Every structure is written in structure tokens, then in C-alpha cells.
Amino acid sequence: MIWTAPSVKRTQDLGGLGIVTELQMLEGWLNWHRETLQAKCAGLEPAQLARTTVEPSDLTLLGLIRHMAEVERWWFRRSFASEGIGGVFTGPSDSNEGLDGVHAADAERDFAFFQAEVKACDAAAAGHDLDETFMSSYGVPLSLRWVYMLMIQEYARHNGHADFLRERTDGATGD
């Protein structure tokens, strides 16, 4: 049997985010966007996830999964938490934060890595105040709040890309 990207059950009711703390709101929106990206991939086989569908772009759904794992890792773990870990999908052959170097044969592994990275990033931010700061690689102080906002916009932008990629793959549409 061929592996397919797992289905996703939404854990966040967006309507409930209107009257919660700022941290709960940011976490809720980030989780909703994480789940949206996974939902755009749900049920697709590795070859479908790795296929380019919006020419002339070489963007793929699997590339987006890899990219978001890499970006989360960079901001939450490497930058904010100062964990001494390297990149996973970024190397000499991929300077584009996981978007390049996509192989269908790695789809199941890449999805598992994405899901593990999300948990690790949540753990890196847990118990910290949104006003806690760190020094960026550009020498600019940034806050944990800034990281949450950056990640929400990064997912929102790429989820728009994922909409087009999924529709061109099998015609599926949705939020």
C-alpha cells in the first residue's frame, strides 16, 4: 500500500480565539495555519506531493512542508531558544530553506519530521513570555511575540500557494 499524507483534524475553533489571552490567540492562529498546510496535503501520494503544478514555478506541496519545518526550526529553536542545532533541509544543494531538493521517496519521512519539529518548536516556546527577547542573526533584538507573528504570516502566505498547488493537483479546494 502506498503511503499518503495523513488527514488532519482541526483542533482550533477560530471563533473561540476572540476572547482569549494574546498568547492563546497567537498559538491558536499558528496551529490553525499549521493544520491548514497539512490539510492541503491530506490524502495525496508522494508523487503528487513532489510534483510541480503551477508552471513555471518549481514549488511543490512537499517543498512547503519541508520549508515550514525549516523556518519553524530556525526561528523558534535556533534563534529564540538558542539551541545549537543545524538546519535539516538546507545545505549545499538547497539554499532555499527546504523548498528545493524534494524527492517523492522522502515524503513520509519529511512529513514525520515536520510534525516532530512543530512539537519541538512548541516545547521551545512553552513557558516563555511573549516579551522575552533574543538577538537575531542580523544583530537586531526581537521578541517571542515577533516570532509568532512572523510564523503566522509565513504560513498564511504559503497556504495561499498550497491552495493553488492542491487545486492543480486534483481539483480539491477549501480553506
Side-chain angles (χ1 to χ4, degrees):
M1 176 172 239
I2 296 177
W3 176 87
T4 60
S7 61
V8 177
K9 182 177 186 270
R10 292 294 172 121
T11 58
Q12 184 63 57
D13 170 19
L14 294 178
L17 292 178
I19 54 170
V20 296
T21 68
E22 182 183 12
L23 178 59
Q24 290 170 320
M25 186 179 296
L26 292 172
E27 289 173 337
W29 274 104
L30 179 56
N31 286 330
W32 187 84
H33 278 293
R34 287 167 169 166
E35 291 167 354
T36 296
L37 180 57
Q38 292 176 86
K40 292 295 173 187
C41 299
L44 296 179
E45 296 177 357
Q48 293 173 301
L49 293 165
R51 184 172 50 221
T52 60
T53 59
V54 184
E55 295 74 21
S57 173
D58 60 357
L59 195 61
T60 66
L61 288 166
L62 186 56
L64 290 175
I65 288 289
R66 291 163 41 101
H67 175 69
M68 292 313 300
E70 193 73 49
V71 172
E72 289 226 27
R73 183 181 185 91
W74 172 263
W75 285 109
F76 279 111
R77 297 180 65 199
R78 294 174 73 184
S79 297
F80 175 73
S82 299
E83 291 183 29
I85 55 175
V88 174
F89 300 118
T90 302
S93 64
D94 181 5
S95 60
N96 208 6
E97 298 174 320
L99 291 171
D100 301 329
V102 173
H103 302 286
D106 299 330
E108 185 174 8
R109 179 204 67 182
D110 293 352
F111 261 80
F113 180 80
F114 170 83
Q115 292 167 335
E117 194 61 34
V118 163
K119 288 178 184 169
C121 289
D122 285 346
H128 291 277
D129 188 273
L130 290 173
D131 292 324
E132 190 171 329
T133 63
F134 63 98
M135 194 62 65
S136 77
S137 60
Y138 297 107
V140 177
L142 300 171
S143 68
L144 179 58
R145 176 183 291 102
W146 186 91
V147 174
Y148 274 104
M149 295 301 296
L150 172 75
M151 292 308 305
I152 290 166
Q153 77 78 27
E154 183 85 4
Y155 272 102
R157 183 166 51 99
H158 289 312
N159 283 340
H161 298 137
D163 281 339
F164 287 120
L165 293 168
R166 179 62 189 251
E167 186 173 5
R168 292 292 307 262
T169 297
D170 68 354
T173 60
D175 69 344

